[in-house]
Amino acid sequence: AQAILVVPRAPENSARCALASAMAPKKKAAAAAPTEGEAPQKAGAKKAAKAAKSAKKSVVRKVKKVRKNVHFFRPKTKITPRNPKYPMKSTVGRVRMDKYRIIQCPVTTESAMKKIEEINTLVFLVDLQATKRNIKDAVKELYDVKCAKVNTLIRPDGRKKAYVHLTQDYDALDVANRIGII
């Protein structure tokens, strides 16, 4: 923001102004002698005309704002909120990570069977992006059992394995029979 300073312009050549006033026609003496009531009004009108004339002849000069701080902050401008005319996507995106994608298959190795029988734990191969919470919810929906704890690891071949520890209320052997592992 810059301040604007208005400076009245001085007459350019006083001799030329004097010549112009000398050449102007003389006014009648009767008009020069005003009555008592009109004298203050005409004087004020002359003063106002003179002020208006000087204002018209003024020159505008820009004055730079003095900065007292070394940091420059970008001026805050109006930020209009988004007002879209049409949606960016025509359809709502579907959830790709559903319960059937999360749990791929149960593991049926000897060590997995031992975990089912001894420590009430089911072993599954799961999607690589699946989280422990996702796995817990998927097992609950698919097999109607409550999980106490889920441990995961990524095998050397790059697949994720989940150990789903069931609560005391559910037996992993019964769930394995229902699935068809045993």
Side-chain angles (χ1 to χ4, degrees):
Q2 292 183 341
I4 296 174
L5 180 69
V6 179
V7 180
R9 187 185 290 166
E12 298 184 18
N13 194 346
S14 56
R16 197 178 339 161
C17 291
L19 182 65
S21 62
M23 292 172 73
K26 304 287 183 196
K27 294 189 179 177
K28 295 180 182 175
T35 57
E36 289 179 24
E38 292 178 13
Q41 287 178 349
K42 282 195 172 181
K46 282 183 181 178
K47 212 175 198 180
K50 190 176 180 184
K53 194 175 179 184
S54 67
K56 284 179 187 172
K57 289 184 174 181
S58 63
V59 177
V60 178
R61 288 197 190 117
K62 287 185 179 179
V63 176
K64 276 196 172 179
K65 182 183 173 187
V66 178
R67 295 200 161 274
K68 300 180 178 104
N69 191 354
V70 294
H71 301 288
F72 175 76
F73 294 102
R74 184 177 49 79
K76 303 281 189 291
T77 56
K78 185 181 178 184
I79 299 167
T80 54
R82 285 187 177 185
N83 187 16
K85 302 293 179 266
Y86 58 89
M88 293 294 280
K89 289 183 178 181
S90 59
T91 58
V92 179
R94 65 181 179 85
V95 179
R96 286 181 174 81
M97 189 70 81
D98 61 342
K99 58 187 175 183
Y100 301 108
R101 183 174 164 195
I102 291 170
I103 295 177
Q104 293 169 349
C105 62
V107 178
T108 56
T109 57
E110 265 187 52
S111 60
M113 294 301 163
K114 193 174 181 185
K115 287 192 185 315
I116 289 170
E117 292 165 4
E118 292 178 7
I119 54 175
N120 205 29
T121 302
L122 295 169
V123 185
F124 296 100
L125 285 179
V126 295
D127 192 89
L128 203 60
Q129 271 87 40
T131 61
K132 290 181 180 184
R133 192 165 288 153
N134 291 352
I135 295 164
K136 196 173 186 177
D137 294 339
V139 168
K140 187 177 182 180
E141 285 179 37
L142 288 171
Y143 308 118
D144 300 321
V145 292
K146 201 169 186 182
C147 307
K149 183 180 177 182
V150 176
N151 289 337
T152 59
L153 63 88
I154 295 175
R155 303 192 316 184
D157 65 350
R159 299 180 80 185
K160 188 181 264 192
K161 187 160 66 171
Y163 296 98
V164 181
H165 190 73
L166 304 180
T167 56
Q168 296 292 325
D169 306 335
Y170 301 97
D171 187 29
L173 205 57
D174 295 340
V175 177
N177 281 329
R178 257 193 298 151
I179 295 168
I181 299 172
I182 299 172

